[in-house]
Amino acid sequence: METTLRGVGVSHGVAIGEVRHMGTAVLEPPAKQIPAEDAEREQGRARQAVEAVAADLIARGNLAGGEAQHVLEAQAMMAQDPELMADVERRIAVGSSAERGVYDAFASYRALLASAGEYLAGRVADLDDVRNRIVARLLGVPMPGVPDSDEPYVLIARDLAPADTALLDPALVLGFVTEEGGPTSHSAILARALGVPAVVALPGAGELAEGTVIAVDGSTGEIFVEPSAEKRAEMESAAAARKAALSASTGPGATSDGHKIPLLANVGGPGDVPAAVEAGAEGVGLFRTEFLFLDDSERAPSEEKQVAAYRAVLEAFPEGRVVVRVLDAGADKPLDFLTPADEPNPALGVRGLRSLLDHPDVLRTQLTALAKAADGLPVHLEVMAPMVADRADAKAFADACREAGLGAKFGAMVEIPSAALRARSILREVEFLSLGTNDLAQYTFAADRQVGAVSRLQDPWQPALLDLVALSAQAAAAEGKSCGVCGEAASDPLLACVLTGLGVTSLSMGAASIPYVRATLAKYTLAQCERAASAARATDSAEEARMAAQAVLSGE
């Protein structure tokens, strides 16, 4: 009998197939004492396992490329964390085996971060995956991971670590469903990059029996268990119509009456550029430069290395717009040379622009490298600062850009509610705004963007978040300046129409979402988008907002 479940849709598309479950997690190793004379040997085993796992993660990243590569390299750094390794060796020195020392050290680190309110605690899938891989290697058992299957299937998991998601084969994995995670988790971002339909934050997903046929709608978050023949035909027909619409839609982003909305790509480095170009991106709306810095947490990359990486991206978009976000370090992206080690809550501490203003040499080098990378190219370079709180922040960044001789537009990201509320004041110092809806939702609702339990508050359809977007867009219009969205909200085709109706002037997203957004925008006039935006803001919940906008655009 057909039943319907609902989670959070995070990657567009429809998948219909049999359920396969993620491999079982590594069992807890026995707590047995080892002789003192074996301690040095066990410490060596632990170090070798850590290095092997880190090398494997980096190798997987090299195979995956793009956004996945950056995520996996950051996870490899987690495996090699010197404080964690020191704790492992201390535990072995007092009698733990290598595998037990690793297991207990990771458990302690996990509990410590959670109790301290550490933003990194939200990366539980990443942290647990690193632990499981190290312990599995030490025990000599197979790594937990994607099941072996000759037939296509829908993958079910508690959560998916980046190492699993990055190398999913879309020819076999039709889609995936997880019990945890949120719309901005690593798994969700990588699923969109792969073009794999995905639904997260579905309680009880693990109870779906192996082999059960389910239909997954990655747009609505609906899961149909044992769908009827009529339901399957309906979903397959809708998927075919969507595919045809995507193929027919080309060119710049615009509404049906010609109101232009440039569609840009979010990239993490040169590896993400080919997919952006293939999707028809009109430029880059968010170039995340922090991944270049994560290669070595102890020192910033040289100016020469930065110039080469930046130029590779800029050259791909001649005459296009490329918006670069300067280093956004701190919170879940700590850097030894930049980030304070003793903050009780780094997400609310010295991160983003605050870190750079405390280390002006790092900011100056990056701005100088960007200026050199753009020299002689016809690209329209724009540079923005993360985590701008007020006009003083905006002025400090603008002054730094001028002092570095940067001949580019400079702007501010709106990720803190104060920046949205005082957007017009900030725009007196900078030339554009860019809304990072992921962090803006996190700070507006006090809801960690990586915790599935509060995922409803991370829903970009929340009316309060739409109000902040509207305030920012209205301020930009009053000042005659632009206001784009570069958060994950822009990747939702229906929400893209609402954002357009709110007055947003450009949309930036993962490359895989661009065709969906382009095709959907082209179906409606600007006036329809404005009416949909007004209807969404008049509601009291994310679900009501979505339904109200859909009703307006469908003519109901």
Side-chain angles (χ1 to χ4, degrees), residues 497-510:
C497 295
V498 168
L499 295 173
T500 298
L502 292 174
V504 165
T505 57
S506 66
L507 298 167
S508 189
M509 64 208 77

Side-chain angles (χ1 to χ4, degrees), residues 5-13 176-185 187-189 191-192 196-203 205 216-223 449 451-462 488 491-492 542-543 546:
L5 307 173
R6 183 181 289 276
V8 178
V10 295
S11 185
H12 306 299
F176 66 76
V177 179
T178 65
E179 292 193 39
E180 299 184 1
T184 60
S185 65
S187 292
I189 292 171
R192 286 188 284 271
V196 177
V199 171
V200 302
L202 179 70
V216 179
D217 190 326
S219 300
T220 65
E222 291 175 306
I223 307 291
R449 56 190 278 191
V451 177
V454 293
S455 62
R456 76 172 186 86
L457 297 173
Q458 270 291 327
D459 192 325
W461 281 94
Q462 286 283 356
E488 292 301 316
S491 65
D492 179 334
E543 182 59 26
R546 186 183 289 106

Side-chain angles (χ1 to χ4, degrees), residues 462-520:
Q462 286 283 356
L465 190 66
L466 299 180
D467 288 344
L468 293 176
V469 173
L471 280 174
S472 302
Q474 290 163 7
E479 293 293 324
K481 297 179 179 180
S482 63
C483 176
V485 169
C486 65
E488 292 301 316
S491 65
D492 179 334
L494 182 61
L495 185 51
C497 295
V498 168
L499 295 173
T500 298
L502 292 174
V504 165
T505 57
S506 66
L507 298 167
S508 189
M509 64 208 77
S513 298
I514 291 175
Y516 289 92
V517 172
R518 181 192 293 118
T520 304

Side-chain angles (χ1 to χ4, degrees), residues 81-94:
D81 183 280
E83 290 187 14
L84 256 177
M85 195 63 231
D87 190 20
V88 170
E89 294 188 343
R90 281 194 297 270
R91 292 172 187 274
I92 294 173
V94 295

Side-chain angles (χ1 to χ4, degrees), residues 139-191:
L139 291 173
V141 300
M143 294 285 178
V146 178
D148 290 328
S149 176
D150 295 329
E151 298 296 325
Y153 60 90
V154 177
L155 181 63
I156 306 293
R158 182 180 63 81
D159 204 346
L160 283 171
D164 299 313
T165 319
L167 296 182
L168 291 179
D169 182 354
L172 284 176
V173 181
L174 302 172
F176 66 76
V177 179
T178 65
E179 292 193 39
E180 299 184 1
T184 60
S185 65
H186 275 158
S187 292
I189 292 171
L190 293 177

